[in-house]
Amino acid sequence: MNNYHYKGIILLLACLLFLTGCASHPATFTTLSMPVTGGHITTTPIKSSGCGKPAPVGSGISKVEYIYSGGMMRSYLLYLPPGYRETTRYPLVLNFHGHGSSPHLQERVSGFTTLAREHKFIVAYPWGDTGPDGHTGWDTGLTGRPQTNDVLFVSDLLNHLQATLCIDSLRIFATGFSNGGGMTNLLACELSGRIAAFAPVSGSYPPVPGGCHPSRPVPILEFHGTADPLVPYTGNPVRREPPITFWLEQWAARDGCAQDASTFYRSQNATGQQWAHCQGNAIVIGYRIRGEDHRWPHILISLRLGNGPGQYTASQVIWYFFLAHPLPSAQNPVMAGTTVTPGKM
């Protein structure tokens, strides 16, 4: 066997191993054409040049897509609502899975794809890299988590999505569970000029390296169980995770809220507190779920939302919170659901 044949066999085996390792992804030939991104983090809104272009994926289905970011291939699960039109600007929700989880599981437990189908918005479920502990996750400062530039990944992902889809740049939001909630917190510190509002669930919030310095007052909504054994409501000093109430108070201080927390909701299962009268029309809200462990909340919240009073899931409460807090703009804002003319973005 000559050297060229040997190299050819090695290359073939490497390709087979790559395909086998990605067998759980619904890979298609379209994933072979992947955008390459630079190392620049975009921290302010950009116009969606994808308006007027045919969607690269079908609507009404979830599909794994890929981009290169930070010198490595990253993936995400993308869902476009049925009837997606390339001349309509859609809100976008980024939904981050927890440690050791996946976009598919996060899609299932959060129910955001069902919400997106009903309310006509786009959802992207980014896929965390594998860390030293052998599990997927996000680089939020915890030991054992990936050593990747996930803020760059999110910036690159937004650039790519806005280049290929028609997205309302003032209505990009972020939510996530556990370590994904910690990633949501990190983005609130680092990308508040581009992402409008943030809603972590059962989040792990270690100190942000270099400190948390949002560029504006940030709307924050958080759900957390009082019996969470993995991310205790009272905090975990060993992992440098603060008590949730203290974490909420820190955000209220950053947002310049003019009053202490007030209780606006109380039921047998949950208590809702808010820090209001904040700068920039921001607000900080925390739902404390009595006896709940480490999970996406299953309780119903009785509120007046949308068309009137009713009982709403945590995901529905998050969505209506997002709707109420678009990104501020000095110009006339382009609202979600408005029709645009191709070539005039």
Side-chain angles (χ1 to χ4, degrees):
M1 180 183 296
N2 62 41
N3 191 44
Y4 291 105
H5 288 161
Y6 178 78
K7 290 182 177 179
I9 291 174
I10 294 298
L11 180 61
L12 177 60
L13 289 174
C15 291
L16 289 173
L17 286 172
F18 172 80
L19 293 174
T20 301
C22 296
S24 61
H25 298 182
T28 66
F29 288 107
T30 59
T31 62
L32 297 179
S33 178
M34 292 172 286
V36 178
T37 61
H40 175 70
I41 296 176
T42 304
T43 60
T44 55
I46 64 173
K47 292 182 179 180
S48 290
S49 59
C51 294
K53 299 178 182 179
V57 299
S59 63
I61 59 172
S62 300
K63 184 176 180 292
V64 173
E65 293 288 299
Y66 302 87
I67 66 169
Y68 278 109
S69 176
M72 60 189 298
M73 186 172 67
R74 304 297 300 265
S75 57
Y76 61 98
L77 185 67
L78 178 64
Y79 177 82
L80 305 185
Y84 169 86
R85 298 173 57 190
E86 66 270 17
T87 55
T88 298
R89 298 184 190 272
Y90 291 84
L92 167 67
V93 174
L94 302 174
N95 195 336
F96 296 87
H97 65 75
H99 177 234
S101 186
S102 70
H104 299 90
L105 183 57
Q106 181 65 12
E107 178 184 44
R108 186 162 66 250
V109 300
S110 69
F112 257 80
T113 290
T114 300
L115 271 179
R117 184 181 302 115
E118 178 183 356
H119 293 281
K120 304 298 182 184
F121 61 90
I122 299 169
V123 191
Y125 302 87
W127 207 316
D129 192 26
T130 301
D133 62 359
H135 297 289
T136 56
W138 305 100
D139 186 8
T140 61
L142 287 176
T143 302
R145 300 302 184 265
Q147 305 291 310
T148 53
N149 191 337
D150 285 323
V151 176
L152 174 63
F153 171 41
V154 171
S155 173
D156 288 340
L157 176 58
L158 291 178
N159 291 347
H160 172 61
L161 292 175
Q162 290 191 259
T164 55
L165 298 170
C166 196
I167 292 171
D168 184 348
S169 61
L170 300 184
R171 293 183 181 268
I172 298 173
F173 311 103
T175 185
F177 175 69
S178 191
N179 182 216
M183 185 62 199
T184 304
N185 176 64
L186 177 62
L187 293 174
C189 297
E190 301 289 341
L191 288 184
S192 62
R194 190 170 185 186
I195 300 176
F198 304 83
V201 175
S202 301
S204 165
Y205 312 120
V208 173
C212 180
H213 306 289
S215 61
R216 65 178 179 92
V218 177
I220 296 285
L221 168 65
E222 210 261 1
F223 286 86
H224 216 108
T226 60
D228 190 330
L230 297 182
V231 188
Y233 195 88
T234 55
N236 185 339
V238 175
R239 288 157 53 97
R240 300 186 304 150
E241 294 168 335
I244 299 305
T245 299
F246 178 73
W247 176 82
L248 290 166
E249 290 171 344
Q250 286 181 311
W251 271 112
R254 294 186 192 103
D255 286 349
C257 303
Q259 67 178 40
D260 294 332
S262 61
T263 299
F264 70 94
Y265 179 82
R266 192 184 300 275
S267 71
Q268 181 179 356
N269 298 321
T271 300
Q273 290 187 304
Q274 66 178 8
W275 287 258
H277 303 292
C278 310
Q279 297 177 5
N281 199 35
I283 193 169
V284 177
I285 298 175
Y287 281 95
R288 184 173 67 250
I289 307 174
R290 194 169 297 107
E292 185 82 286
D293 58 11
H294 194 68
R295 64 191 301 179
W296 194 272
H298 287 180
I299 66 167
L300 295 176
I301 306 290
S302 298
L303 292 173
R304 180 180 292 274
L305 298 174
N307 296 325
Q311 290 190 313
Y312 297 90
T313 66
S315 295
Q316 288 173 318
V317 173
I318 289 171
W319 170 241
Y320 283 113
F321 176 78
F322 286 162
L323 282 180
H325 295 93
L327 194 68
S329 174
Q331 289 88 22
N332 183 29
V334 180
M335 305 305 286
T338 56
T339 300
V340 297
T341 303
K344 296 182 179 181
M345 302 325 145

